[in-house]
């Protein structure tokens, strides 16, 4: 009993780290939770004599579980109806996500998690463990049963693949909130001119309904097309007088618009900004993708009405 309690206490010390790795690896909070639980079960069944460093041991288990998950999930994502977007999560410090640096914050953004889908599972693992969690290649090599030199090559290949697509602009938090308010106001009013002025010329709008609810199946590209779509959709919702409540929440490291309908989470809208305006818009509508966030938000007292 005492040994089991000690194991539990020791494991809890690393739970946030393990969840953080699994979530960034899979893009799914609910699956990340399952992987963390499986890691604990394997830790309980292990012999203490085989553990030199508990942190390294647990990280190895969660990383290998995440790799297995990604290999099996690839086919399902290829057959997914419409665009696949990561599962959104509430990212407040008391939720276990202290965003200490730009790498930590960027690696939680929906835009970056979507980019990671272009990497192979080993590339994703090596890149995240080294770039975000600062593991040396020697440790990563032990976790993945590869040489440090091989891990270094995999890392450089992954970084090269992402280099031209990664965001290099970090707007002030107040500017993010201002653009969110302006985006919502212009869209609901059907003000094409005002909304167009907020968007970058090559703006893109993504939506993830997963075939569960009606949504666009392909990204909308270009300033005019994006503005036209959002003016039509949000102004129509307002005219239909649906009982939608709109709040602001901290989602994946930045402010996002959250729509509720009769107490259920209906839509999350997150913006990715560039120096010239709103670069990308992410709309998450798949109820399965919103279940984890709704659970988080039901316990959150920091939501703000818009």
């Amino acid at each position: 009993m005492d040994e089991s309690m000690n194991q539990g206490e020791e494991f809890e010390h690393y739970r946030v780290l393990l969840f953080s790795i699994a979530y960034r690896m899979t893009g799914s909070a609910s699956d990340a939770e399952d992987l963390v639980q499986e890691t604990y079960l394997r830790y309980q069944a292990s012999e203490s004599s085989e553990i030199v460093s508990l942190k390294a041991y647990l990280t190895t288990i969660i990383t290998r579980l995440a790799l297995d998950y990604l290999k099996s999930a690839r086919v399902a994502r290829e057959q997914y109806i419409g665009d696949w977007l990561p599962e959104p999560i509430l990212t407040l410090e008391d939720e276990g996500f202290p965003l200490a640096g730009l790498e930590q914050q960027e690696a939680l953004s929906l835009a970056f998690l979507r980019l990671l889908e272009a990497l192979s599972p080993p590339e994703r693992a090596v890149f995240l463990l080294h770039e975000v969690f600062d593991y040396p290649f020697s440790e990563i090599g032990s976790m993945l049963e590869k040489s440090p030199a091989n891990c270094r090559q995999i890392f450089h290949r992954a970084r090269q693949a992402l280099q031209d697509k990664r965001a290099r602009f970090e707007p002030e938090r107040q500017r993010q909130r201002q653009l969110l308010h302006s985006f919502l106001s212009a869209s609901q009013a059907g003000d094409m001119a005002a909304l167009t002025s907020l968007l970058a010329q090559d703006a893109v709008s993504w939506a993830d309904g997963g075939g569960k609810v009606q949504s666009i199946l392909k990204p909308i590209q270009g300033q005019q097309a994006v503005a036209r779509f959002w003016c039509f959709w949000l102004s129509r919702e307002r005219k239909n007088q649906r009982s939608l409540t709109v709040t602001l929440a901290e989602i994946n490291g930045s402010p996002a618009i959250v729509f509720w309908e009769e107490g259920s989470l209906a839509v999350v809208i997150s913006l990715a900004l560039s120096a010239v305006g709103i670069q990308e818009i992410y709309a998450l509508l798949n109820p399965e993708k919103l279940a984890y966030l709704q659970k988080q938000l039901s316990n959150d007292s920091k939501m703000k009405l818009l």
Side-chain angles (χ1 to χ4, degrees):
M1 179 67 73
D2 289 342
E3 183 179 348
S4 176
M5 288 178 61
N6 288 337
Q7 276 190 320
E9 291 174 1
E10 290 170 344
F11 183 85
E12 286 302 316
H13 182 71
Y14 294 106
R15 180 179 289 275
V16 169
L17 170 66
L18 298 174
F19 180 86
S20 298
I21 292 172
Y23 174 67
R24 288 173 172 91
M25 281 285 289
T26 64
S28 169
S30 50
D31 288 317
E33 273 200 333
D34 290 342
L35 295 183
V36 170
Q37 183 60 26
E38 178 61 24
T39 299
Y40 178 62
L41 294 176
R42 295 193 180 195
Y43 169 48
Q44 276 191 316
S46 65
E47 296 289 338
S48 58
S49 58
E50 63 186 80
I51 302 175
V52 178
S53 163
L54 182 56
K55 179 182 177 182
Y57 184 79
L58 295 176
T59 302
T60 299
I61 295 176
I62 198 85
T63 301
R64 291 179 181 177
L65 288 173
L67 284 171
D68 290 340
Y69 168 90
L70 287 175
K71 290 171 186 174
S72 63
R74 185 171 291 275
V75 174
R77 291 184 185 181
E78 288 172 353
Q79 298 173 345
Y80 194 78
I81 298 175
D83 289 310
W84 185 94
L85 293 176
E87 193 175 313
I89 57 172
L90 189 64
T91 48
L92 298 169
E93 292 208 4
D94 54 5
E95 289 286 335
F97 287 96
L99 303 176
L102 289 180
E103 291 84 2
Q104 287 279 341
Q105 184 163 335
E106 181 197 20
L108 269 177
S109 72
L110 293 174
F112 190 69
L113 290 173
R114 186 187 63 81
L115 284 182
L116 290 177
E117 289 294 300
L119 301 181
S120 69
E123 287 173 342
R124 190 163 179 163
V126 172
F127 181 82
L128 288 170
L129 289 171
H130 184 71
E131 178 89 348
V132 178
F133 297 100
D134 206 28
Y135 282 92
F137 291 121
S138 56
E139 285 191 43
I140 298 173
S142 297
M143 294 174 193
L144 304 184
E145 298 181 314
K146 299 179 184 293
S147 70
N150 191 4
C151 288
R152 190 176 289 106
Q153 289 176 344
I154 292 172
F155 172 78
H156 289 303
R157 188 166 65 238
R159 187 168 64 177
Q160 186 67 35
L162 299 175
Q163 185 170 297
D164 296 333
K165 301 175 183 178
R166 294 177 69 179
R168 299 297 177 189
F169 176 73
E170 185 60 31
E172 294 180 355
R173 191 52 54 94
Q174 185 59 32
R175 176 61 174 160
Q176 291 178 330
R177 291 193 178 95
Q178 287 174 350
L179 277 173
L180 272 177
H181 281 271
S182 298
F183 168 81
L184 182 63
S185 176
S187 298
Q188 288 182 325
D191 190 336
M192 270 287 291
L195 184 54
T196 301
S197 69
L198 301 174
L199 300 171
Q201 286 284 343
D202 55 348
V204 182
S205 183
W206 306 80
D208 183 342
K212 310 293 183 183
V213 296
Q214 186 177 3
S215 68
I216 58 173
L217 298 180
K218 294 182 179 180
I220 299 171
Q221 303 189 34
Q223 188 182 53
Q224 291 295 318
V226 171
R228 195 177 303 114
F229 170 78
W230 281 104
C231 278
F232 169 76
W233 191 76
L234 283 180
S235 63
R236 182 192 64 181
E237 293 300 308
R238 193 172 193 178
K239 289 174 184 175
N240 288 344
Q241 297 182 331
R242 287 174 63 189
S243 55
L244 292 176
T245 301
V246 188
T247 60
L248 182 70
E250 187 81 3
I251 307 296
N252 289 78
S254 61
I257 302 168
V258 179
F259 289 85
W260 299 82
E261 184 171 18
E262 297 179 354
S264 294
L265 193 54
V267 187
V268 172
I269 299 175
S270 177
L271 309 180
L273 310 181
S274 69
V276 293
I278 299 171
Q279 192 67 49
E280 294 188 327
I281 302 168
Y282 298 96
L284 293 117
L285 306 95
N286 185 343
E288 294 178 359
K289 292 277 187 80
L290 299 177
Y292 186 89
L293 178 61
Q294 174 152 345
K295 183 175 67 174
Q296 287 184 302
L297 288 170
S298 65
N299 298 320
D300 179 45
S301 60
K302 299 181 178 64
M303 284 192 299
K304 298 177 181 178
L305 289 172
L306 281 174

